Amino acid sequence: MQIENNQEKKQKQFATEIIPKIHSQNLNFCWGIGNELFLFGGSTSAFYCPKKQRKEINSQENNIYILSWDTTNNESISKFLSQTHSIFVKLQMKQNQLSNTDTLEASQGYRIALQNLKQNLIKQLDESNEDFQLNLDLANSVNPKAFKDEIESEAKLVDIMERVFHLCENFFLLHSKYPSFSFVRWFQLNFTDQLEIESIDTESIKWNKICRSIIHGKFENAINLLAKFPPNQTIQNTQKILQEFPELKYQTHLTIYRKQFQNWRKKCDKIYNSNEEIKQNPNLSAIYKILLGDENEINQRTDSWIERFASKLLFIYPNLEIQSFGSKAKECFTEKEKKERINDLDQIYLDILSLNTSRALLRIYSQIGNTWLSAHLSDLLFHIDSIQKDVLPTLGTDIREFFVLEFCQTLLSNPSRMPILVDYLISCQKMGKMLLSEIVQRQNIDDEFIYKKLLNICQNNQLDLEYKTICQIYGMKSFSSHKFPSGINALLEAEKIEIVNSGINRFFKKIVSEEIPLYQIQLVIESLESDKQNQTSKKVLFLKHYKELCEYFQENQMDKAGRLILEIMKKEIAPKMFWLTLIWDAIVIMEEEEKKIEQEQFQKNSIFNHDSIMFFLTKVKEITSSHQANEYTQYISKDQLQVIRFNLIRALPIRIGLK
Amino acid sequence: MKKLFITGSKLRSIKFLTRDEETNNSIDFVIGSWGETENTLTFYTLENPDMYDDPHISQTHTISHNGNVNSIVTYPYSSLNNMENINQRPQLNPFLLTSSNGNVTLYHIENLHNKSTPNNQRVEKIQEYKLSKLPINSIDIESFSQQLISAAGDDGNVHIFSIEQQKHKSSSQHQPPPHIKLFDIRDKNQKPNKIFLNKRNLSSNYSLALHPTNPDQIVVGSADGSISVWDMRFESLEPIVSRIHSSAIWNLMFHPIYSNFLFSCSEDGSLDRLDFNRSTLNKHNNSLQIFSSSLFTQPLAINSFDIFADLIIGVSDSQNILIGNSQEFKLN
């Protein structure tokens, strides 16, 4: 069967102008990960462009375009990928303890998945045909014929994939000691249809069907077809000889089989040579010639090399050794077929029969263009030691890893396949881990759910640096959405203390500019306290004091509040951005004090003495004359600053003599 | 009975829609996806649920959804009496879902199984509430009057609203460190009445289950795969802790009938049943040796599950719907 050359298909795709001219001068590109190409108007274009010709770059020309392909969201394919992913993971988990049963189960699992995929695609096509009939708008917006062609070609591809898998399963796993049997069995299941007798079949058609059944090794069919003829001794003898054909089953010992086959051949020869009716009847003669392995007769009655080869394996060399399969298969090509180019699929079959699995896989990859098949088949063959395991210089890695990584590139094109992708990458050791590291850091961490999943991936695969990077990204995102406790925790995990400090400063700015509930401050304190290395101890201390101060104000404990303000300021615990706010609060307390009527009480209970006022004045001067004065005074208005100065100067003489 | 059903997308949340009081030959449920280029809400019907060996599951309807479907809760029909367009008692419970785009959406199911009904009328979006710019992760309905709805998300706010009364208020409660807070919504201060913090284990909490018969007992699932059992009467009493899974516990639920069974699903790909009756307490380190058994083990995370009578259905990142009998478990 001819299959489309995938290379030509891709070339046609890229020949089309996909993106209109996006840059007036020059278009640059760089490859992303997976099926991604980044296109942008390069800055180098402006650099090399002569000044006279340099135009103003409009905003569109600053865009970066991402071109990607094979981004199919087909539900059937998603299901298929999920199903085969489970099989793949099981194989890797049992890697060192794989039995033949395990690999056979895996191969059969893959084939079932392929069969399911084909059924789902056909079902999808039927359902979409109904939809198109019911919904004209849909039919107008989507080209039904193009959709149908696409699904049908997918289904054909799946057929091919299943056949290739089946051949490898039969040849290498199931009947590896009996290659003839395995090939014939494969041929029978994949290339022969049930031949049914119609009541209107002419005699010649009946004989033709009998011959075809015999050539295909379906003797039951031939016997049943012969029974439609008027019974006579010759027919009965022919039926008997067909019944007695020694079928090679996988339990049969080869030596025993050889004897059985020879005996049967002798019997066949005897019947043919002793019966004139057979020799005179061209149809019966043809049958016996086939049974006796007449190459010319077989060649005449067969259409393709596969059919020819299967027949010869049945009747000419049933004990053919596996090493000779490739050469004998090639001999089955007619002269005409040899002159024409052997199609890609036949090349793949020949490579498998010649035990050149690496070449077969490379052909699958380049000619069929299906990375799923090359990846999973190479993995399976790798586990049963039927493929090269050494590093190939042209690929830079062993063949299995190369194909699995190529498959991963295809998975990458659809971001929703990330969880599946991880397991494939891990199975590729070094290169896979490197790629995983890149991919994990490029994921959008939209919420904590995804954040946790990514951290889990990093932890399970010893990606320590990437773990910290993800924590850092999430932490910074949290800060930008004012989720300070989350951000602090994440950044402490990332060991990015400098960013934590920067985040805390943002939190400080928020405190000083807005009214923040106390429990939020408490949460930030608790987050910072989880830092075992105590790198933010000073900030924690200030926050604790500040919270305490707020509580004193709420409970109207002004004297304690005042003393705390002094303590915070004198021990330089408070950041400078808070100084003016704290001094303002101190002035409020001072005014409260001055309201007390009795001088004696005032003198005894005063919190702020002359030295305190001088201290505050010094601090005000320090702030306002600093080169960062604008930054520190932005949270307080100019009027308020004037009020502070005025009140401090006014309070100074009142507090002379107070201790 | 154990069955896997493969869908085409990663699954985040699942909820049974069939009303408990009806006896059914079929059971309906809805599943929400996440992380896909186009997320969906997909409705399924499980026919002959008593046929434990081979239940038949069919996809009934699909609608697309903007954002990840984070959680789903059924909303009592009786609370929708005053709403327009809700005339007859619907076949299945309406439901609310929360989304990664900060919305909470109320859906009404009219004729789910009637294929002659136009697609956009089988499941209708009644109202959408924009609560936040950040994802809303969880939602629940007040059990007594079934009027008030509370939703919480990544913005650190707890949103309390009523569909009928159109009232909404929110209070800010940033999560970490992993507190458990008990609020009384009648308290105008919006402060928690009690705060519980496990100082020995500061892993984030991702799931919570209230004991169906003992209102003082809650179980919390953490990011490190451990569960903590709290007594809500004693704020300072440390919880009993037990390590169940090797990774974050996404969902916890007590069996509605057999309250000694607690079910949990985790990022490690397992869905377990924990038997409290057969568990033993180690008083020295306040840990619980829990007798657990597995129903499912998946290569990827199991994100959520729901229980209806003996049926348990889980959903996973492997794109699988896992159907099992909550009474049949393989021992660990």
Side-chain angles (χ1 to χ4, degrees):
Chain A
M1 163 186 192
Q2 289 288 339
I3 52 171
E4 276 185 311
N5 187 332
N6 223 42
Q7 298 281 18
E8 282 171 14
K9 209 174 164 184
K10 275 186 183 164
Q11 276 166 12
K12 276 181 207 167
Q13 215 174 358
F14 286 114
T16 316
E17 189 181 300
I18 299 161
I19 297 174
K21 194 176 174 184
I22 60 165
H23 198 278
S24 55
Q25 297 293 333
N26 207 348
L27 190 63
N28 278 336
F29 75 94
C30 85
W31 287 105
I33 294 177
N35 299 348
E36 266 182 355
L37 183 68
F38 292 95
L39 299 165
F40 52 95
S43 57
T44 48
S45 63
F47 181 76
Y48 287 117
C49 176
K51 214 172 181 178
K52 290 178 198 174
Q53 293 170 25
R54 215 176 283 175
K55 292 175 194 172
E56 245 185 61
I57 298 172
N58 66 41
S59 60
Q60 243 192 339
E61 291 184 342
N62 287 334
N63 289 349
I64 298 173
Y65 294 86
I66 305 172
L67 173 66
S68 58
W69 57 96
D70 283 346
T71 55
T72 175
N73 276 326
N74 190 308
E75 193 185 310
S76 309
I77 291 175
S78 295
K79 284 188 195 180
F80 167 72
L81 289 174
S82 168
Q83 202 176 355
T84 54
H85 162 256
S86 313
I87 302 168
F88 181 87
V89 164
K90 254 191 199 170
L91 265 182
Q92 311 316 306
M93 273 166 48
K94 286 189 181 178
Q95 202 172 12
N96 297 327
Q97 306 142 10
L98 270 177
S99 65
N100 211 36
T101 321
D102 294 326
T103 42
L104 183 61
E105 239 177 61
S107 175
Q108 286 168 344
Y110 285 138
R111 285 183 44 233
I112 290 169
L114 284 164
Q115 288 160 10
N116 288 342
L117 174 60
K118 188 182 169 188
Q119 281 170 11
N120 286 336
L121 285 171
I122 293 168
K123 191 178 163 190
Q124 204 176 343
L125 187 60
D126 293 336
E127 282 171 3
S128 63
N129 283 338
E130 276 178 34
D131 287 342
F132 289 141
Q133 282 166 15
L134 288 172
N135 189 338
L136 283 175
D137 288 336
L138 180 66
N140 287 335
S141 64
V142 175
N143 185 343
K145 189 181 179 302
F147 181 74
K148 187 188 170 199
D149 289 344
E150 192 188 325
I151 297 289
E152 279 178 352
S153 83
E154 289 280 355
K156 277 182 192 167
L157 181 61
V158 170
D159 247 344
I160 293 168
M161 285 158 66
E162 210 249 314
R163 267 186 221 168
V164 171
F165 233 106
H166 195 192
L167 177 61
C168 292
E169 180 186 306
N170 268 17
F171 218 54
F172 297 109
L173 283 169
L174 204 53
H175 311 299
S176 51
K177 289 183 190 169
Y178 311 95
S180 305
F181 176 68
S182 69
F183 184 83
V184 170
R185 196 82 194 103
W186 173 76
F187 166 74
Q188 285 172 340
L189 288 169
N190 288 288
F191 292 90
T192 61
D193 295 322
Q194 192 69 14
L195 291 172
E196 286 183 9
I197 270 219
E198 304 286 334
S199 54
I200 54 167
D201 274 349
T202 60
E203 206 166 290
S204 64
I205 291 173
K206 281 182 198 166
W207 281 116
N208 197 31
K209 284 184 179 177
I210 291 169
C211 282
R212 288 202 72 76
S213 299
I214 292 171
I215 279 170
H216 294 165
K218 292 189 170 178
F219 300 112
E220 278 294 320
N221 270 1
I223 292 166
N224 292 336
L225 285 164
L226 280 170
K228 301 288 175 188
F229 288 97
N232 65 31
Q233 193 60 41
T234 313
I235 297 286
Q236 281 170 0
N237 283 344
T238 312
Q239 283 176 314
K240 201 177 169 193
I241 207 77
L242 288 172
Q243 264 168 354
E244 288 172 3
F245 179 82
E247 276 201 72
L248 175 61
K249 292 177 186 170
Y250 60 90
Q251 293 119 335
T252 317
H253 204 274
L254 278 173
T255 329
I256 298 169
Y257 177 75
R258 241 178 254 128
K259 271 193 180 161
Q260 284 174 344
F261 186 80
Q262 279 166 4
N263 290 340
W264 174 85
R265 181 64 80 82
K266 280 180 191 167
K267 205 173 176 181
C268 204
D269 197 38
K270 193 179 171 186
I271 295 172
Y272 178 62
N273 286 319
S274 63
N275 192 330
E276 282 305 314
E277 190 190 336
I278 292 172
K279 283 185 183 174
Q280 283 166 16
N281 184 331
N283 295 309
L284 281 170
S285 174
I287 288 171
Y288 275 89
K289 279 180 182 175
I290 292 167
L291 292 176
L292 291 168
D294 185 321
E295 228 173 295
N296 288 331
E297 194 63 42
I298 289 174
N299 287 341
Q300 271 178 34
R301 298 271 176 181
T302 50
D303 299 325
S304 67
W305 72 269
I306 290 180
E307 214 179 350
R308 233 163 275 137
F309 187 47
S311 304
K312 287 181 182 180
L313 284 173
L314 275 169
F315 304 112
I316 301 177
Y317 27 73
N319 294 334
L320 187 66
E321 282 175 1
I322 196 167
Q323 288 80 7
S324 311
F325 257 66
S327 52
K328 287 290 182 192
K330 281 178 192 163
E331 284 173 14
C332 293
F333 282 85
T334 59
E335 287 305 318
K336 189 187 170 195
E337 281 169 343
K338 280 179 190 170
K339 278 181 189 170
E340 288 169 2
R341 187 183 161 272
I342 299 175
N343 76 46
D344 301 315
L345 190 55
D346 287 339
Q347 293 273 22
I348 291 166
Y349 293 146
L350 283 171
D351 286 333
I352 293 170
L353 294 174
S354 311
L355 303 178
N356 199 334
T357 46
S358 306
R359 195 163 65 189
L361 287 163
L362 283 166
R363 275 198 218 276
I364 289 168
Y365 171 68
S366 60
Q367 303 306 327
I368 300 182
N370 187 283
T371 52
W372 180 91
L373 181 59
S374 46
H376 290 78
L377 189 56
S378 62
D379 180 62
L380 196 67
L381 294 172
F382 185 87
H383 287 304
I384 59 170
D385 300 327
S386 296
I387 196 175
Q388 279 178 276
K389 289 191 175 181
D390 36 338
V391 172
L392 297 175
T394 43
L395 301 177
T397 178
D398 67 67
I399 200 163
R400 173 203 165 268
E401 201 166 293
F402 172 75
F403 287 129
V404 174
L405 285 171
E406 285 296 302
F407 176 61
C408 291
Q409 303 276 10
T410 317
L411 283 178
L412 265 172
S413 59
N414 191 331
S416 65
R417 293 185 187 143
M418 170 72 182
I420 297 174
L421 175 64
V422 172
D423 288 317
Y424 284 100
L425 287 172
I426 294 162
S427 74
C428 292
Q429 296 177 7
K430 272 190 197 165
M431 300 251 323
K433 204 170 171 181
M434 266 168 48
L435 200 53
L436 179 61
S437 158
E438 287 294 314
I439 291 159
V440 144
Q441 290 174 88
R442 289 180 62 185
Q443 294 302 303
N444 267 335
I445 309 174
D446 292 327
D447 58 28
E448 201 173 337
F449 184 68
I450 297 169
Y451 168 60
K452 188 59 202 170
K453 291 214 179 249
L454 290 173
L455 288 187
N456 202 46
I457 292 171
C458 293
Q459 274 177 321
N460 290 345
N461 297 294
Q462 291 88 43
L463 297 171
D464 300 323
L465 276 173
E466 290 76 8
Y467 182 93
K468 288 180 185 171
T469 307
I470 288 164
C471 289
Q472 183 181 337
I473 294 168
Y474 184 70
M476 290 170 76
K477 270 195 168 181
S478 297
F479 278 155
S480 61
S481 359
H482 298 292
K483 286 162 59 184
F484 293 99
S486 297
I488 290 167
N489 276 339
L491 285 163
L492 287 173
E493 280 279 332
E495 294 172 13
K496 293 283 177 187
I497 199 66
E498 62 279 2
I499 308 178
V500 172
N501 282 325
S502 156
I504 296 169
N505 287 339
R506 282 172 78 169
F507 184 62
F508 284 164
K509 284 178 186 172
K510 204 172 177 222
I511 295 175
V512 87
S513 55
E514 297 170 27
E515 202 176 311
I516 305 282
L518 287 182
Y519 57 80
Q520 281 198 22
I521 300 175
Q522 179 60 29
L523 285 171
V524 172
I525 292 169
E526 283 168 2
S527 301
L528 289 170
E529 279 179 334
S530 64
D531 169 26
K532 289 166 191 170
Q533 292 174 24
N534 279 330
Q535 295 165 92
T536 53
S537 51
K538 204 172 174 185
K539 291 185 165 71
V540 173
L541 188 60
F542 169 70
L543 280 172
K544 281 182 176 172
H545 283 311
Y546 187 82
K547 179 176 165 269
E548 206 182 327
L549 181 67
C550 294
E551 281 165 357
Y552 287 152
F553 273 116
Q554 278 178 1
E555 289 157 14
N556 212 23
Q557 294 184 39
M558 294 303 180
D559 49 344
K560 285 185 181 175
R563 287 194 177 84
L564 188 54
I565 290 172
L566 261 180
E567 187 188 333
I568 292 171
M569 299 282 301
K570 283 191 173 172
K571 288 185 180 175
E572 294 184 357
I573 299 169
K576 284 187 179 175
M577 67 175 84
F578 281 89
W579 286 4
L580 289 176
T581 314
L582 289 170
I583 294 169
W584 176 269
D585 290 337
I587 287 169
V588 168
I589 295 170
M590 273 187 248
E591 283 179 355
E592 288 283 328
E593 275 188 332
E594 284 161 16
K595 280 177 189 171
K596 295 218 168 117
I597 304 163
E598 290 177 26
Q599 185 74 5
E600 196 179 0
Q601 197 180 359
F602 176 74
Q603 283 181 345
K604 273 185 191 171
N605 295 334
S606 76
I607 304 156
F608 304 108
N609 59 15
H610 177 265
D611 291 338
S612 314
I613 305 298
M614 283 305 298
F615 173 74
F616 285 143
L617 278 167
T618 319
K619 290 297 171 191
V620 169
K621 192 177 175 189
E622 194 182 321
I623 284 278
T624 50
S625 56
S626 151
H627 65 282
Q628 287 174 299
N630 287 337
E631 192 188 319
Y632 299 139
T633 57
Q634 64 177 301
Y635 306 107
I636 205 161
S637 66
K638 281 183 182 173
D639 289 339
Q640 281 176 309
L641 186 58
Q642 292 296 348
V643 165
I644 287 173
R645 283 198 180 107
F646 174 75
N647 277 299
L648 286 174
I649 292 166
R650 186 187 62 78
L652 197 56
I654 298 171
R655 278 163 172 67
I656 286 173
L658 288 176
K659 292 179 185 174
Chain B
M1 175 255 295
K2 254 166 91 165
K3 187 156 177 143
L4 277 182
F5 182 78
I6 303 176
T7 64
S9 41
K10 300 194 298 295
L11 307 172
R12 174 75 196 267
S13 47
I14 183 254
K15 197 71 193 167
F16 282 104
L17 298 170
T18 306
R19 285 194 296 273
D20 288 339
E21 62 268 24
E22 293 187 0
T23 53
N24 296 288
N25 287 329
S26 65
I27 295 174
D28 293 281
F29 57 94
V30 62
I31 286 178
S33 69
W34 76 278
E36 303 289 332
T37 41
E38 193 182 306
N39 286 306
T40 53
L41 271 175
T42 313
F43 297 82
Y44 293 90
T45 303
L46 183 67
E47 282 152 33
N48 297 321
D50 293 332
M51 296 280 291
Y52 286 135
D53 292 332
D54 190 22
H56 177 62
I57 182 170
S58 58
Q59 186 177 322
T60 334
H61 187 49
T62 305
I63 51 177
S64 63
H65 181 78
N66 186 17
N68 299 336
V69 179
N70 286 347
S71 63
I72 306 172
V73 66
T74 47
Y75 191 70
Y77 163 74
S78 51
S79 304
L80 287 179
N81 273 335
N82 297 331
M83 295 203 79
E84 289 178 11
N85 306 325
I86 312 296
N87 296 321
Q88 299 170 355
R89 190 168 193 230
Q91 186 188 19
L92 297 167
N93 279 327
F95 62 94
L96 284 156
L97 65 84
T98 64
S99 175
S100 61
N101 56 13
N103 290 349
V104 169
T105 318
L106 176 65
Y107 284 93
H108 170 63
I109 305 168
E110 191 61 52
N111 280 310
L112 186 65
H113 298 286
N114 188 351
K115 289 195 177 173
S116 59
T117 310
N119 277 344
N120 57 358
Q121 290 175 20
R122 287 162 76 182
V123 178
E124 280 183 81
K125 188 191 291 189
I126 300 177
Q127 280 194 21
E128 194 163 49
Y129 304 91
K130 179 75 184 169
L131 298 182
S132 171
K133 289 180 188 174
L134 297 174
I136 299 288
N137 298 321
S138 54
I139 190 165
D140 205 359
I141 300 174
E142 186 250 320
S143 52
F144 186 65
S145 67
Q146 296 189 325
Q147 291 283 328
L148 286 177
I149 301 162
S150 58
D154 279 13
D155 61 358
N157 287 329
V158 174
H159 303 268
I160 301 171
F161 61 100
S162 161
I163 290 174
E164 294 287 297
Q165 296 163 20
Q166 303 286 321
K167 281 185 200 169
H168 172 222
K169 61 177 178 177
S170 67
S171 73
S172 188
Q173 306 291 332
H174 286 282
Q175 311 105 303
H179 294 90
I180 301 156
K181 293 178 181 173
L182 187 64
F183 288 88
D184 186 339
I185 55 172
R186 295 166 297 184
D187 186 352
K188 290 176 186 174
N189 287 335
Q190 295 185 356
K191 280 186 186 178
N193 283 3
K194 289 182 183 175
I195 300 177
F196 300 85
L197 173 65
N198 184 1
K199 289 181 181 169
R200 286 194 294 157
N201 180 3
L202 291 176
S203 300
S204 304
N205 297 324
Y206 286 120
S207 49
L208 186 145
L210 290 167
H211 197 282
T213 53
N214 182 356
D216 296 319
Q217 195 177 65
I218 63 161
V219 181
V220 173
S222 299
D224 64 354
S226 60
I227 61 161
S228 316
V229 183
W230 296 84
D231 189 328
M232 304 297 281
R233 293 168 295 180
F234 307 110
E235 209 168 334
S236 54
L237 191 65
E238 280 194 0
I240 301 167
V241 179
S242 181
R243 194 75 186 271
I244 303 297
H245 294 278
S246 55
S247 192
I249 298 175
W250 292 123
N251 199 6
L252 279 174
M253 197 186 290
F254 280 96
H255 196 285
I257 303 167
Y258 310 108
S259 55
N260 54 304
F261 290 141
L262 174 70
F263 294 83
S264 62
C265 70
S266 168
E267 179 69 23
D268 65 10
S270 60
L271 198 162
D272 287 2
R273 182 183 74 173
L274 317 173
D275 188 344
F276 278 94
N277 276 356
R278 294 163 82 173
S279 306
T280 49
L281 175 65
N282 182 336
K283 288 183 183 171
H284 291 293
N285 58 8
N286 221 26
S287 71
L288 199 59
Q289 190 68 34
I290 291 192
F291 188 86
S292 72
S293 42
S294 283
L295 181 60
F296 289 104
T297 310
Q298 290 279 284
L300 297 172
I302 298 178
N303 293 321
S304 183
F305 65 90
D306 198 10
I307 302 173
F308 183 89
D310 279 342
L311 204 60
I312 182 166
I313 297 186
V315 291
S316 80
D317 280 349
S318 316
Q319 306 182 358
N320 290 334
I321 301 174
L322 320 164
I323 304 171
N325 186 331
S326 61
Q327 299 308 308
E328 288 171 16
F329 271 74
K330 186 180 80 176
L331 296 178
N332 275 353

